[in-house]
């Protein structure tokens, strides 16, 4: 049913469709199966307007994690391109500077 919903949205709307999932290190098997079906369905489309963004804690999700295995499988089966971006933690001083700038405060106050 959800795959049909995604298909209808893609056919009725000209812009991209983005699915964002946070904390993918805790994704369950049913969600992986659903995501796999969506990626297989949209990966064969000619216009490539479906985008999946997932975030996870890299230290809790190794290469043998079911989501990583599924993404590798989808990539090899239908040519869906995947890109992994690893971000490092901000230092305390960089975080303090960012918060200070956003709040228009001096760094020593934050």
């Amino acid at each position: 049913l959800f795959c049909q919903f995604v298909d209808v949205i893609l056919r009725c709307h000209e812009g991209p469709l983005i699915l964002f999932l946070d904390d993918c290190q805790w994704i369950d098997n049913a969600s992986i199966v659903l995501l796999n079906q969506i990626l297989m369905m949209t990966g064969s489309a000619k216009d490539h307007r479906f985008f999946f963004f997932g975030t996870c804690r890299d230290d809790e999700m190794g290469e043998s994690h079911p989501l990583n295995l599924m993404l590798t499988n989808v990539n090899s089966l239908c040519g869906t391109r995947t890109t992994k971006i690893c971000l490092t933690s901000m230092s305390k001083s960089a975080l303090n500077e960012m918060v200070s700038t956003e709040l228009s405060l001096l760094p020593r106050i934050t």
Side-chain angles (χ1 to χ4, degrees):
L1 184 61
F2 194 77
C3 289
Q4 291 172 340
F5 172 74
V6 169
D7 187 47
V8 167
I9 296 297
L10 286 171
R11 283 190 275 134
C12 295
H13 183 65
E14 293 179 8
L17 178 61
I18 299 170
L19 173 63
F20 175 80
L21 297 177
D22 192 19
D23 290 327
C24 287
Q25 70 272 11
W26 295 318
I27 195 168
D28 64 334
N29 286 333
S31 299
I32 291 174
V33 169
L34 177 61
L35 183 59
N36 183 54
Q37 290 174 343
I38 294 170
L39 291 173
M40 294 291 279
M41 177 190 74
T42 58
S44 61
K46 296 176 184 175
D47 52 4
H48 302 290
R49 293 181 298 119
F50 179 81
F51 298 91
F52 165 67
F53 293 93
T55 64
C56 68
R57 294 185 182 132
D58 197 35
D59 59 339
E60 294 183 31
M61 195 169 133
E63 291 300 318
S64 62
H65 189 279
L67 180 62
N68 278 333
L69 297 174
M70 184 274 297
L71 291 173
T72 300
N73 187 40
V74 167
N75 188 19
S76 64
L77 287 177
C78 66
T80 300
R81 186 173 45 155
T82 59
T83 303
K84 188 179 210 180
I85 302 171
C86 295
L87 303 175
T88 59
S89 300
M90 294 176 71
S91 67
K92 285 185 179 183
S93 62
L95 181 60
N96 188 29
E97 183 179 335
M98 181 187 74
V99 170
S100 299
T101 300
E102 292 303 314
L103 297 177
S104 300
L105 297 171
L106 295 173
R108 63 181 173 80
I109 296 175
T110 60

